[in-house]
């Protein structure tokens, strides 16, 4: 699984907790699969991938990850109903949805990826998932796109910048190496400034007190 320079910087970082906030189509799923496989390559590990919903977990990662590990001949057993892969070295990779927090309790984990974490309830991390890492000293990676200033994603990124054993990363869509610059130029032309900055430049914007944030008298107001 080749990585871009930006993706490789995230993967190579040795902090226990890593928060990566990126533009759309940066290649977060690619990073997630790389890290799931890397941690599961150690024998007898419990490795989880958690998306905002079970359906998202299945749609984003399941087929790609399963097929990749089949090609590597790592898989001993594949459970489609539970989205669980048992590897020949005794490790288990389990895909989960955060829309049912109670189903995430009771397991000690070695590594967990929270993908699109900006859409996961903060309490699911603090009250349910964080304790699953305690007995094994497990690690966690947060992958997502920004929401506004004051959101869960902004809070986690800001905290990670200044906290020991946490790493914070932010990259634009272009940094991921998957989208040509010409497409990004066209997207900038077609979108309002704040939406473009959030979705492609991974910028945390503030919408506090603004009813219609992208109002522009020149373009919004027209003569009847």
């Amino acid at each position: 699984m080749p990585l871009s320079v930006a993706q490789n910087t995230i993967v190579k970082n040795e902090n226990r907790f890593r928060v990566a906030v990126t533009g759309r189509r940066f290649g977060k799923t690619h990073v997630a699969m790389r890290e799931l496989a890397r941690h599961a390559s150690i024998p007898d590990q419990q490795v989880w991938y958690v998306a905002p919903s079970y359906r998202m977990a299945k749609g984003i990662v399941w087929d790609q990850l399963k097929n990749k590990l089949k090609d590597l001949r790592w898989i001993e057993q594949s459970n489609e109903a539970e989205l669980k892969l048992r590897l020949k070295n005794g490790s288990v990779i389990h895909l989960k949805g955060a829309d049912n927090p109670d189903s995430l309790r009771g397991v000690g984990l070695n590594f967990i990826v929270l993908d699109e974490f900006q859409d996961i309830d903060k309490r699911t991390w603090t009250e349910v998932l964080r304790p699953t890492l305690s007995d094994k000293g497990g690690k966690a990676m947060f992958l997502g796109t920004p929401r506004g200033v004051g959101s869960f994603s902004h809070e986690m990124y800001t905290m990670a910048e200044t906290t020991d054993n946490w790493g914070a990363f932010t990259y634009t869509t272009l940094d991921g190496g998957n989208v040509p610059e010409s497409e990004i130029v066209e997207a900038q032309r077609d979108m309002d400034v704040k939406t473009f900055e959030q979705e492609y430049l991974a910028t945390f914007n503030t919408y506090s007190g603004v009813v219609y944030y992208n109002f522009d008298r020149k373009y919004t107001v027209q003569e009847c």
Side-chain angles (χ1 to χ4, degrees), residues 41-60:
S41 68
I42 303 169
D44 302 318
Q45 301 290 291
Q46 289 288 334
V47 175
W48 277 15
Y49 170 92
V50 179
S53 70
Y54 175 89
R55 179 172 293 185
M56 287 181 68
K58 184 174 183 178
I60 294 172

Side-chain angles (χ1 to χ4, degrees), residues 103-137:
S103 70
L104 307 177
R105 299 178 183 272
V107 177
L109 301 178
N110 300 101
F111 179 67
I112 184 170
V113 172
L114 285 80
D115 198 6
E116 302 296 352
F117 79 97
Q118 75 280 355
D119 295 324
I120 295 176
D121 192 306
K122 176 182 176 180
R123 292 173 297 178
T124 301
W125 162 246
T126 57
E127 299 176 12
V128 180
L129 292 174
R130 177 60 181 87
T132 65
L133 303 173
S134 294
D135 59 331
K136 296 183 177 181

Side-chain angles (χ1 to χ4, degrees), residues 101-202:
D102 287 337
S103 70
L104 307 177
R105 299 178 183 272
V107 177
L109 301 178
N110 300 101
F111 179 67
I112 184 170
V113 172
L114 285 80
D115 198 6
E116 302 296 352
F117 79 97
Q118 75 280 355
D119 295 324
I120 295 176
D121 192 306
K122 176 182 176 180
R123 292 173 297 178
T124 301
W125 162 246
T126 57
E127 299 176 12
V128 180
L129 292 174
R130 177 60 181 87
T132 65
L133 303 173
S134 294
D135 59 331
K136 296 183 177 181
K139 299 180 178 181
M141 170 179 279
F142 300 78
L143 300 171
T145 51
R147 290 290 182 263
V149 171
S151 65
F152 177 41
S153 60
H154 179 255
E155 179 184 336
M156 291 295 288
Y157 177 80
T158 303
M159 181 271 293
E161 285 186 299
T162 58
T163 304
D164 290 342
N165 222 8
W166 284 74
F169 309 87
T170 181
Y171 292 108
T172 67
T173 297
L174 188 61
D175 293 329
N178 299 308
V179 179
E181 187 172 2
S182 59
E183 171 62 21
I184 294 174
V185 170
E186 289 188 19
Q188 185 175 17
R189 179 198 63 199
D190 298 339
M191 303 168 72
D192 66 83
V193 173
K194 283 196 173 182
T195 301
F196 175 77
E197 288 177 347
Q198 176 176 283
E199 300 299 327
Y200 284 85
L201 303 184

